[in-house]
Every structure is written in structure tokens, then in C-alpha cells.
Amino acid sequence: MAKRRRKTKQKVEFSKKILLFAAVINLVVIVFTLVVVWRTCDLSPLAYLIPSVAAETATGTGFYYAKAKVENRIKLMKQNHLEVTENTFNDIGGLG
């Protein structure tokens, strides 16, 4: 009888979990705000809730892109047989 290969699930990276969580919270707050605005006919929550949650999502996105930049730099240096040092991650010298 032939053996079946099990597909192993790859773990979701922690940074992707943070980004997904921030996006979901952003969406929930926007929907909640729109419902409250519709029921109360008061637009003042739009000035406070949506920008604050959007700032959280922007922060999470910036963190994720900064992390991806460092990971890609390490990967490319290893492919090109370059030594990864502490000075590699300084944005001086045309690497940034």
C-alpha cells in the first residue's frame, strides 16, 4: 500500500499575525462607527475613531515592511555569498 504524504502546515509568522489583527480591528471599528453614525445621525465619531485605528494599522504595516526589508537583505547577502555583519543594517552606504 502506498504511503500518503502529509502536507505540513506552515506556521504563520508573528509579524503577519500582528498585521492581520490590526487590519481586523480597523475593519471592526470602521463598521461599528458607520453603524453608530447611521443610528444616531451624528458624524462626530468619524473624526476620532477611524483616524486613531487607521494609525494603528499604519504602524503595524510599517513594522512589517521594516522587518521584511531586513529579512530580504539577509537573504540576498547569503545568496551573493556576502558576510552579514552588524554594520549591514545601517542605512549609510547605499544599502537603504
Side-chain angles (χ1 to χ4, degrees):
M1 188 170 221
K3 290 184 181 180
R4 288 187 177 176
R5 290 187 184 184
R6 285 188 178 181
K7 290 185 179 181
T8 57
K9 289 186 179 180
Q10 292 182 347
K11 282 189 173 182
V12 178
E13 295 175 11
F14 185 70
S15 58
K16 288 183 182 177
K17 288 180 184 179
I18 291 173
L19 193 60
L20 181 63
F21 179 74
V24 168
I25 293 297
N26 192 6
L27 185 64
V28 167
V29 169
I30 289 173
V31 169
F32 173 76
T33 303
L34 293 177
V35 168
V36 169
V37 166
W38 177 66
R39 294 181 121 206
T40 62
C41 295
D42 181 20
L43 297 178
S44 62
L46 293 175
Y48 302 105
L49 289 175
I50 292 178
S52 65
V53 176
E56 177 188 347
T57 303
T59 303
T61 303
F63 164 75
Y64 180 76
Y65 285 135
K67 181 180 174 289
K69 177 182 174 182
V70 170
E71 289 174 348
N72 287 337
R73 187 176 288 173
I74 291 171
K75 181 177 71 173
L76 290 172
M77 289 184 77
K78 286 182 179 180
Q79 283 179 353
N80 294 319
H81 306 294
L82 298 173
E83 183 180 344
V84 179
T85 63
E86 197 172 306
N87 293 330
T88 301
F89 303 106
N90 294 336
D91 284 334
I92 300 172
L95 292 175

